Amino acid sequence: GENVEQHPSTLSVQEGDSAVIKCTYSDSASNYFPWYKQELGKRPQLIIDIRSNVGEKKDQRIAVTLNKTAKHFSLHITETQPEDSAVYFCAAPVNTGFQKLVFGTGTRLLVSP
Amino acid sequence: DSGVTQTPKHLITATGQRVTLRCSPRSGDLSVYWYQQSLDQGLQFLIQYYNGEERAKGNILERFSAQQFPDLHSELNLSSLELGDSALYFCASSVGSGPHNEQFFGPGTRLTVL
């Protein structure tokens, strides 16, 4: 199928806790997995991405892990801060005769002080 | 600021009408993508153009059409508007045509159909 499944749909954590968002994809040929952050009333922005030749990538407090065998990838945010509150979207390429990027349904993360 | 511009910022119109949304990509980007985001919904991919030609198609209704002009700006035309078409419409651009290129999103056009 074309779907990219994303869980959970909402996530509430206390400041300083870790947050994990998971996505699964269906196209085994997919080789690029970006994560976008959309703050309230703003545009989505790329925060991190991973390509299929690596299993993990880190950038300060955020990291993404990829399990190609299981066809899932996850976003990890450590030491969460209130400014991390936003909607996070994962995405993966899907080939339906042409390649297109399909976005997950989004996870609303709320970090409480 | 991503470098992608969209006009207008807000649009209020009535059912049955037709509107045109405009997008200018970042300098140097050849791909333009259109997305629809309804209230509390995800990003629904509509269509992609690359260097003037249609590249990929998503869940775009027949009442909707788009094009990319020689100067690479793009327009999304929505006709016979229905209440359910009310949404935030984002344009994004990227350098290349493939899905592995980072997409830079514009600020969006909020369409309200009354």
Side-chain angles (χ1 to χ4, degrees):
Chain A
E2 293 187 20
N3 288 341
V4 175
E5 295 187 5
Q6 182 171 348
H7 299 281
S9 57
T10 59
L11 181 58
S12 294
V13 300
Q14 292 290 317
E15 183 176 0
D17 288 350
S18 294
V20 181
I21 304 169
K22 298 181 180 180
C23 287
T24 59
Y25 60 97
S26 56
D27 188 345
S28 56
S30 295
N31 57 5
Y32 172 70
F33 308 92
W35 286 89
Y36 284 78
K37 174 184 180 182
Q38 185 178 23
E39 296 178 5
L40 189 62
K42 296 193 175 179
R43 72 193 79 192
Q45 289 186 283
L46 180 74
I47 55 171
I48 194 167
D49 57 18
I50 190 168
R51 298 180 190 267
S52 59
N53 56 342
V54 296
E56 184 177 7
K57 183 177 178 181
K58 285 185 180 180
D59 183 2
Q60 299 183 346
R61 295 186 298 107
I62 60 173
V64 56
T65 58
L66 172 64
N67 183 327
K68 286 217 73 180
T69 304
K71 289 192 279 190
H72 65 70
F73 57 110
S74 300
L75 178 70
H76 304 253
I77 306 175
T78 58
E79 300 172 31
T80 54
Q81 301 169 2
E83 51 265 39
D84 294 329
S85 296
V87 178
Y88 292 80
F89 293 98
C90 64
V94 170
N95 195 330
T96 55
F98 48 79
Q99 282 225 318
K100 60 183 181 182
L101 197 64
V102 175
F103 283 81
T105 49
T107 296
R108 185 175 300 278
L109 174 65
L110 177 61
V111 181
S112 302
Chain B
D1 185 359
S2 66
V4 179
T5 61
Q6 288 186 250
T7 57
K9 198 169 183 177
H10 300 279
L11 199 48
I12 301 175
T13 189
T15 54
Q17 294 298 303
R18 173 190 169 94
V19 296
T20 297
L21 313 184
R22 183 188 168 104
C23 168
S24 291
R26 289 189 325 155
S27 176
D29 284 359
L30 298 179
S31 272
V32 169
Y33 310 79
W34 286 98
Y35 292 90
Q36 180 191 58
Q37 187 174 44
S38 301
L39 192 63
D40 287 338
Q41 295 291 311
L43 292 161
Q44 297 298 318
F45 169 68
L46 297 177
I47 198 164
Q48 177 198 0
Y49 280 84
Y50 176 75
N51 204 20
E53 295 195 0
E54 184 183 304
R55 184 77 177 189
K57 220 166 185 177
N59 300 322
I60 188 165
L61 300 172
E62 284 192 13
R63 300 184 285 110
F64 296 1
S65 65
Q67 54 184 326
Q68 187 179 29
F69 294 87
D71 67 353
L72 301 177
H73 91 271
S74 178
E75 292 181 355
L76 178 67
N77 301 295
L78 315 177
S79 61
S80 302
L81 285 168
E82 302 174 359
L83 295 178
D85 297 327
S86 295
L88 190 55
Y89 290 84
F90 283 107
C91 161
S93 74
S94 68
V95 171
S97 61
H100 58 282
N101 290 276
E102 179 178 357
Q103 294 185 25
F104 295 86
F105 283 78
T109 292
R110 183 167 295 283
L111 173 66
T112 303
V113 182
L114 301 175

